[in-house]
Amino acid sequence: MLHRFKFLFLASIGITQLLPLVCKAQSKPNIVIIYTDDLGVGDISANGATKVKTPNIDRIANQGLRFTNAYATAATCTPSRFSLLTGKYAWRKSGTNIAPGDAALIIPTKEENMPLMLQKAGYQTAVVGKWHLGLGPAGGPAWNSDIKPGPLEVGFNYSFIMPATGDRVPCVYMENYRIVDLDPADPITVSYKEKIGNEPTGKENPELLKLNYSHGHDATIINGVSRIGWMTGGKKARWVDEDMADVFTGRAVNFIEKNAKNPFFLYFATQDIHVPRVPHSRFVGKSGMGARGDAILQLDWSVGEVLKTLDRLKITDNTLLIFTSDNGAVVDDGYEDRAVELLNGHTPSGILRGGKYSAFDGGTKIPMLVSWPAKIKSGTVSNALFSQIDIYASLAALTGRKISAQDSRNSLSTLLGGKINREFVIQQAVNSTFGIIQGDWKYISPGPGPAINPLVNIELGNNMKPQLYNLKNDAGERNNLAEQNPEVLKKLMAKLESVKNY
Ligand code: NG6
Ligand code: CA
């Protein structure tokens, strides 16, 4: 009897000692954010696209949660990414609009942010893919030596990035502090002010282009494609656009493999489907929709490789995977890649008005899928209002970290399939026109600016009159009800002002 008691007693100690370990393993899922570029709500078959099929992306929705009411904070890349990683609206900080390729690092190194917080929570953290948040000190990066501060100074243990965008020089990969394959005898120079060196440009030598530009993008030719900005040198280090998805996906997969046994955070920011859309030959012509559709297939492949890797390592169940986009869709964004001609009835923005750059919902309403099989019911659809600004605070709540982000709020329950938590969503268009959504209503602040950008053929939402739409009845933002609803208008105006002054 005594023995038995002793045994039970010891066994129970054993269990209580083990318990924290078990709980710890469960409460610290791996976290993967797949942050796509310029992917619209209508671009994935999970959201109803029929002209293009995205089986791998759809699998995230099938094994988890599909949001129908999720928003990026801004209608372009740099501000959306800044907000995602810092939990602060980009418009609170100057210098956070679309960054040139030689911009200095815009994320403050002295404030906490998402990767730093997760690092402190015991995660191995990595960024792979598009950065576009500046590099180096004021004055910009020293391309030929250690390039810092950068991702490693804001909380990433590992970084394999393109400095800015696919259409901006320098067209090279960077691993941690260094440009990959840079020959010291052939140093890089970069300029966003004037032409440097003698290399051909799209403007002067269009006969050398394999992909013509439609607007902008007429400077240095790299790999047969002219870019924004001029560069010389670094010949051996220059990327080949066709291989880029393979290169980035390979690095993402390697990082997961290396860290399968400890909690990791991977911020995989794909270059797809941003311009220039120059997919690998195995995707060319496969969508029947031209380069844009082919880039969607390539993106779907990249996502599939990540999913397969998680499966192979048996960590799918305990991985929180967030798939989303930095802003809404654009079709012609500066290259004659026949995306417009070959759309074939495909609607990248679904029923939304506007697109990338716009204050209308097409600018910031984005696809968002979340899976975590251990916690999220499969095949769930959430209509809850969600803003990417809350991902930071939600991940802090998940990992038990205290943070003091200015705008990010804990919406973990919504992120995992629960009810609406966020009261309002704020949208920043390219020219600092603002939208705010609360309940069924959306207000767009009045101001000058063109109604439409004819180059990209997108309505920007600018109007000298205040705009008020009832999104429940009018998701396409066609009927401005401001005059009929002065009370609602006043309320939303006041709300926007109060957040701005917060
Ligand atoms: C614009 C570019 C566009 C794209 C965008 C940034 C021109 C005419 N247009 O200025 O092609 O690069 O910047 O896109 O140069 S984002 O998704 O990174 O914000
Ligand atoms: Ca973008």
Side-chain angles (χ1 to χ4, degrees), residues 37-38 75-79 81 98-99 130 132 164-165 167-168 215-217 228 274-275 326-327 333-335 356-357 455-456:
D37 203 353
D38 298 357
T76 55
C77 166
T78 303
R81 285 159 207 258
I98 303 175
K130 175 176 174 173
H132 208 189
T165 62
D167 56 349
R168 282 176 175 74
H215 56 270
H217 306 100
I228 306 172
H274 196 279
V275 296
D326 65 340
N327 52 253
D333 206 13
Y335 291 97
K356 179 177 179 178
Y357 310 110
L455 296 173
V456 291

Side-chain angles (χ1 to χ4, degrees), residues 53-92:
K53 291 263 177 293
T54 53
N56 293 302
I57 294 169
D58 298 359
R59 194 188 133 190
I60 306 172
N62 294 336
Q63 74 186 20
L65 178 60
R66 180 169 69 85
F67 281 86
T68 63
N69 230 347
Y71 289 85
T73 61
T76 55
C77 166
T78 303
S80 280
R81 285 159 207 258
F82 178 87
S83 302
L84 174 80
L85 296 181
T86 64
K88 184 187 201 152
Y89 292 121
W91 41 264
R92 293 200 195 278

Side-chain angles (χ1 to χ4, degrees), residues 94-156:
S94 62
T96 54
N97 283 326
I98 303 175
D102 60 352
L105 178 68
I106 66 169
I107 298 184
T109 49
K110 293 196 171 60
E111 292 167 25
E112 196 159 73
N113 59 50
M114 184 193 290
L116 210 52
M117 175 277 290
L118 289 170
Q119 212 174 42
K120 286 187 191 154
Y123 280 74
Q124 280 296 314
T125 58
V127 51
V128 174
K130 175 176 174 173
W131 181 241
H132 208 189
L133 290 164
L135 292 162
W143 297 111
N144 300 291
S145 52
D146 275 356
I147 301 166
K148 57 178 165 180
L152 269 48
E153 280 62 46
V154 297
F156 288 107

Side-chain angles (χ1 to χ4, degrees), residues 303-361:
V303 171
E305 291 303 295
V306 170
L307 297 180
K308 268 202 293 201
T309 306
L310 298 174
D311 285 349
R312 176 162 50 80
L313 300 168
K314 301 197 169 35
I315 51 176
T316 299
D317 256 18
N318 201 33
T319 298
L320 169 60
L321 177 72
I322 302 173
F323 172 93
T324 187
S325 178
D326 65 340
N327 52 253
V330 56
V331 184
D332 177 352
D333 206 13
Y335 291 97
E336 289 179 358
D337 59 10
R338 305 199 65 217
V340 176
E341 298 88 321
L342 297 175
L343 261 185
N344 187 26
H346 175 69
T347 49
S349 303
I351 57 166
L352 305 178
R353 188 168 181 183
K356 179 177 179 178
Y357 310 110
S358 180
F360 290 126
D361 264 19

